[in-house]
Amino acid sequence: MTTDAIVLLKDDHKEILRVFRDFEKAGDGALKTKGRLVDRMIELLTVHTYIENEVMYPRVRELVPELEDDVLESYEEHHVADVLVTELAVMDPSDERFTAKATVLIESVRHHIEEEESEWFPQVRESLSRTVLREIGAAMVEAREKAPRRPSQPSALKKTIDAVIS
Ligand SMILES: [Fe+2]
Ligand SMILES: [Fe+2]
């Protein structure tokens, strides 16, 4: 199994986008299905943003300084997703704002993934050797094991508080 950082992150993206499509296909009245799919999104996004925030982004910032602005913008986009995820996590699918909020989350994360994959990951691939990308990937595999799975878990809350205060 490869641990190339970009391959790992793109695999995560694929899974996230699949859940987004399933949500969009679910009927208006399919509250149980939509609730389950949002729970899955929350878990996937909480883990994914954690490993990017903790490993990928700081390493890219350090090793590819010309991508500093892209990384900073991406941190902010994660923060917007965190806010929506935190709200959705305590919301019932029957709430009139539930589908609207999930839709805004989907739109903003799709845009974010698109920017990562087409704007700055290719530059990371060009700037770093395969060995370094594998090291970063291995560190992400390790980080994934202790990653929070719900926004209410302490390590996820700390992330949110850091983002708000700093
Ligand atoms: Fe990201
Ligand atoms: Fe990502």
Side-chain angles (χ1 to χ4, degrees):
M1 190 193 87
T2 179
T3 62
D4 179 285
I6 293 174
V7 173
L8 293 177
L9 293 174
K10 282 188 171 177
D11 281 348
D12 269 11
H13 291 170
K14 263 188 223 137
E15 198 177 353
I16 291 164
L17 295 172
R18 202 177 310 129
V19 178
F20 286 175
R21 279 195 301 274
D22 288 346
F23 182 88
E24 289 168 332
K25 276 190 280 179
D28 278 346
L31 298 186
K32 244 180 133 174
T33 303
K34 290 206 284 189
R36 185 179 51 78
L37 291 167
V38 164
D39 277 348
R40 184 74 184 129
M41 274 177 221
I42 289 171
E43 180 177 348
L44 290 171
L45 290 172
T46 304
V47 172
H48 184 77
T49 55
Y50 179 85
I51 64 171
E52 285 187 339
N53 286 349
E54 296 291 316
V55 182
M56 180 71 169
Y57 289 8
R59 298 284 276 143
V60 169
R61 219 178 152 180
E62 175 195 336
L63 300 171
V64 197
E66 51 289 19
L67 290 178
E68 168 99 353
D69 288 351
D70 297 275
V71 173
L72 288 175
E73 193 184 308
S74 290
Y75 271 124
E76 292 306 318
E77 288 172 348
H78 280 187
H79 175 56
V80 169
D82 287 344
V83 170
L84 295 169
V85 157
T86 306
E87 291 172 350
L88 276 167
V90 294
M91 215 177 227
D92 191 89
S94 64
D95 191 301
E96 68 168 5
R97 296 170 69 178
F98 182 83
T99 297
K101 206 177 279 294
T103 302
V104 172
L105 175 69
I106 289 171
E107 282 169 2
S108 83
V109 171
R110 264 204 193 113
H111 163 84
H112 173 74
I113 287 176
E114 173 75 25
E115 281 191 345
E116 286 184 334
E117 292 201 3
S118 61
E119 288 174 24
W120 64 272
F121 283 3
Q123 295 183 62
V124 174
R125 160 91 54 218
E126 260 179 39
S127 309
L128 301 180
S129 69
R130 276 199 277 176
T131 309
V132 170
L133 283 169
R134 272 200 291 264
E135 276 165 21
I136 298 174
M140 285 196 297
V141 169
E142 209 173 290
R144 193 188 286 278
E145 272 163 38
K146 55 176 183 154
R149 282 179 161 70
R150 299 286 297 175
S152 52
Q153 280 175 252
S155 50
L157 278 176
K158 185 188 170 296
K159 186 181 75 166
T160 308
I161 291 164
D162 285 348
V164 171
I165 292 175
S166 57

mmCIF file with all atom_site columns, all heavy atoms in Angstrom, residues 48 52 57 78 112 116, ligand 1:
data_model
loop_
_atom_site.group_PDB
_atom_site.id
_atom_site.type_symbol
_atom_site.label_atom_id
_atom_site.label_alt_id
_atom_site.label_comp_id
_atom_site.label_asym_id
_atom_site.label_entity_id
_atom_site.label_seq_id
_atom_site.pdbx_PDB_ins_code
_atom_site.Cartn_x
_atom_site.Cartn_y
_atom_site.Cartn_z
_atom_site.occupancy
_atom_site.B_iso_or_equiv
_atom_site.pdbx_formal_charge
_atom_site.auth_seq_id
_atom_site.auth_comp_id
_atom_site.auth_asym_id
_atom_site.auth_atom_id
_atom_site.pdbx_PDB_model_num
ATOM   1  N  N   . HIS A 1 48  ? -10.403 13.885 8.104  1.00 0.00 ? 48  HIS A N   1
ATOM   2  C  CA  . HIS A 1 48  ? -9.613  14.400 6.978  1.00 0.00 ? 48  HIS A CA  1
ATOM   3  C  C   . HIS A 1 48  ? -9.013  15.784 7.272  1.00 0.00 ? 48  HIS A C   1
ATOM   4  O  O   . HIS A 1 48  ? -7.832  16.018 7.030  1.00 0.00 ? 48  HIS A O   1
ATOM   5  C  CB  . HIS A 1 48  ? -10.484 14.448 5.723  1.00 0.00 ? 48  HIS A CB  1
ATOM   6  C  CG  . HIS A 1 48  ? -9.751  14.877 4.490  1.00 0.00 ? 48  HIS A CG  1
ATOM   7  N  ND1 . HIS A 1 48  ? -8.913  14.037 3.799  1.00 0.00 ? 48  HIS A ND1 1
ATOM   8  C  CD2 . HIS A 1 48  ? -9.717  16.055 3.828  1.00 0.00 ? 48  HIS A CD2 1
ATOM   9  C  CE1 . HIS A 1 48  ? -8.392  14.691 2.771  1.00 0.00 ? 48  HIS A CE1 1
ATOM   10 N  NE2 . HIS A 1 48  ? -8.872  15.924 2.759  1.00 0.00 ? 48  HIS A NE2 1
ATOM   11 N  N   . GLU A 1 52  ? -4.925  16.754 7.640  1.00 0.00 ? 52  GLU A N   1
ATOM   12 C  CA  . GLU A 1 52  ? -4.354  17.839 6.823  1.00 0.00 ? 52  GLU A CA  1
ATOM   13 C  C   . GLU A 1 52  ? -3.834  18.965 7.721  1.00 0.00 ? 52  GLU A C   1
ATOM   14 O  O   . GLU A 1 52  ? -2.726  19.465 7.518  1.00 0.00 ? 52  GLU A O   1
ATOM   15 C  CB  . GLU A 1 52  ? -5.391  18.382 5.832  1.00 0.00 ? 52  GLU A CB  1
ATOM   16 C  CG  . GLU A 1 52  ? -5.619  17.440 4.648  1.00 0.00 ? 52  GLU A CG  1
ATOM   17 C  CD  . GLU A 1 52  ? -6.514  18.027 3.559  1.00 0.00 ? 52  GLU A CD  1
ATOM   18 O  OE1 . GLU A 1 52  ? -7.281  18.974 3.844  1.00 0.00 ? 52  GLU A OE1 1
ATOM   19 O  OE2 . GLU A 1 52  ? -6.470  17.527 2.424  1.00 0.00 ? 52  GLU A OE2 1
ATOM   20 N  N   . TYR A 1 57  ? -0.585  20.239 5.926  1.00 0.00 ? 57  TYR A N   1
ATOM   21 C  CA  . TYR A 1 57  ? -0.450  21.683 5.764  1.00 0.00 ? 57  TYR A CA  1
ATOM   22 C  C   . TYR A 1 57  ? 0.830   22.245 6.401  1.00 0.00 ? 57  TYR A C   1
ATOM   23 O  O   . TYR A 1 57  ? 1.554   22.998 5.744  1.00 0.00 ? 57  TYR A O   1
ATOM   24 C  CB  . TYR A 1 57  ? -1.698  22.411 6.292  1.00 0.00 ? 57  TYR A CB  1
ATOM   25 C  CG  . TYR A 1 57  ? -2.962  22.248 5.466  1.00 0.00 ? 57  TYR A CG  1
ATOM   26 C  CD1 . TYR A 1 57  ? -3.053  21.359 4.395  1.00 0.00 ? 57  TYR A CD1 1
ATOM   27 C  CD2 . TYR A 1 57  ? -4.090  23.010 5.761  1.00 0.00 ? 57  TYR A CD2 1
ATOM   28 C  CE1 . TYR A 1 57  ? -4.219  21.229 3.645  1.00 0.00 ? 57  TYR A CE1 1
ATOM   29 C  CE2 . TYR A 1 57  ? -5.256  22.895 5.017  1.00 0.00 ? 57  TYR A CE2 1
ATOM   30 C  CZ  . TYR A 1 57  ? -5.327  22.005 3.962  1.00 0.00 ? 57  TYR A CZ  1
ATOM   31 O  OH  . TYR A 1 57  ? -6.477  21.901 3.245  1.00 0.00 ? 57  TYR A OH  1
ATOM   32 N  N   . HIS A 1 78  ? -11.158 25.113 5.899  1.00 0.00 ? 78  HIS A N   1
ATOM   33 C  CA  . HIS A 1 78  ? -11.421 24.049 6.877  1.00 0.00 ? 78  HIS A CA  1
ATOM   34 C  C   . HIS A 1 78  ? -12.225 24.599 8.050  1.00 0.00 ? 78  HIS A C   1
ATOM   35 O  O   . HIS A 1 78  ? -13.120 23.938 8.569  1.00 0.00 ? 78  HIS A O   1
ATOM   36 C  CB  . HIS A 1 78  ? -10.106 23.489 7.433  1.00 0.00 ? 78  HIS A CB  1
ATOM   37 C  CG  . HIS A 1 78  ? -9.431  22.508 6.528  1.00 0.00 ? 78  HIS A CG  1
ATOM   38 N  ND1 . HIS A 1 78  ? -8.321  21.807 6.903  1.00 0.00 ? 78  HIS A ND1 1
ATOM   39 C  CD2 . HIS A 1 78  ? -9.714  22.116 5.260  1.00 0.00 ? 78  HIS A CD2 1
ATOM   40 C  CE1 . HIS A 1 78  ? -7.950  21.012 5.904  1.00 0.00 ? 78  HIS A CE1 1
ATOM   41 N  NE2 . HIS A 1 78  ? -8.771  21.198 4.888  1.00 0.00 ? 78  HIS A NE2 1
ATOM   42 N  N   . HIS A 1 112 ? -13.394 23.519 -2.077 1.00 0.00 ? 112 HIS A N   1
ATOM   43 C  CA  . HIS A 1 112 ? -12.106 23.380 -1.396 1.00 0.00 ? 112 HIS A CA  1
ATOM   44 C  C   . HIS A 1 112 ? -11.288 22.209 -1.966 1.00 0.00 ? 112 HIS A C   1
ATOM   45 O  O   . HIS A 1 112 ? -10.092 22.341 -2.240 1.00 0.00 ? 112 HIS A O   1
ATOM   46 C  CB  . HIS A 1 112 ? -12.373 23.190 0.107  1.00 0.00 ? 112 HIS A CB  1
ATOM   47 C  CG  . HIS A 1 112 ? -11.168 22.867 0.905  1.00 0.00 ? 112 HIS A CG  1
ATOM   48 N  ND1 . HIS A 1 112 ? -10.211 23.800 1.200  1.00 0.00 ? 112 HIS A ND1 1
ATOM   49 C  CD2 . HIS A 1 112 ? -10.735 21.697 1.441  1.00 0.00 ? 112 HIS A CD2 1
ATOM   50 C  CE1 . HIS A 1 112 ? -9.245  23.217 1.909  1.00 0.00 ? 112 HIS A CE1 1
ATOM   51 N  NE2 . HIS A 1 112 ? -9.539  21.942 2.059  1.00 0.00 ? 112 HIS A NE2 1
ATOM   52 N  N   . GLU A 1 116 ? -7.648  22.233 -3.831 1.00 0.00 ? 116 GLU A N   1
ATOM   53 C  CA  . GLU A 1 116 ? -6.502  21.414 -3.428 1.00 0.00 ? 116 GLU A CA  1
ATOM   54 C  C   . GLU A 1 116 ? -6.006  20.596 -4.616 1.00 0.00 ? 116 GLU A C   1
ATOM   55 O  O   . GLU A 1 116 ? -4.807  20.583 -4.918 1.00 0.00 ? 116 GLU A O   1
ATOM   56 C  CB  . GLU A 1 116 ? -6.888  20.462 -2.278 1.00 0.00 ? 116 GLU A CB  1
ATOM   57 C  CG  . GLU A 1 116 ? -7.035  21.174 -0.954 1.00 0.00 ? 116 GLU A CG  1
ATOM   58 C  CD  . GLU A 1 116 ? -7.330  20.242 0.216  1.00 0.00 ? 116 GLU A CD  1
ATOM   59 O  OE1 . GLU A 1 116 ? -7.900  19.142 0.011  1.00 0.00 ? 116 GLU A OE1 1
ATOM   60 O  OE2 . GLU A 1 116 ? -7.017  20.609 1.352  1.00 0.00 ? 116 GLU A OE2 1
HETATM 61 FE FE  . FE  B 2 .   ? -8.404  20.382 2.905  1.00 0.00 ? 1   FE  B FE  1
#
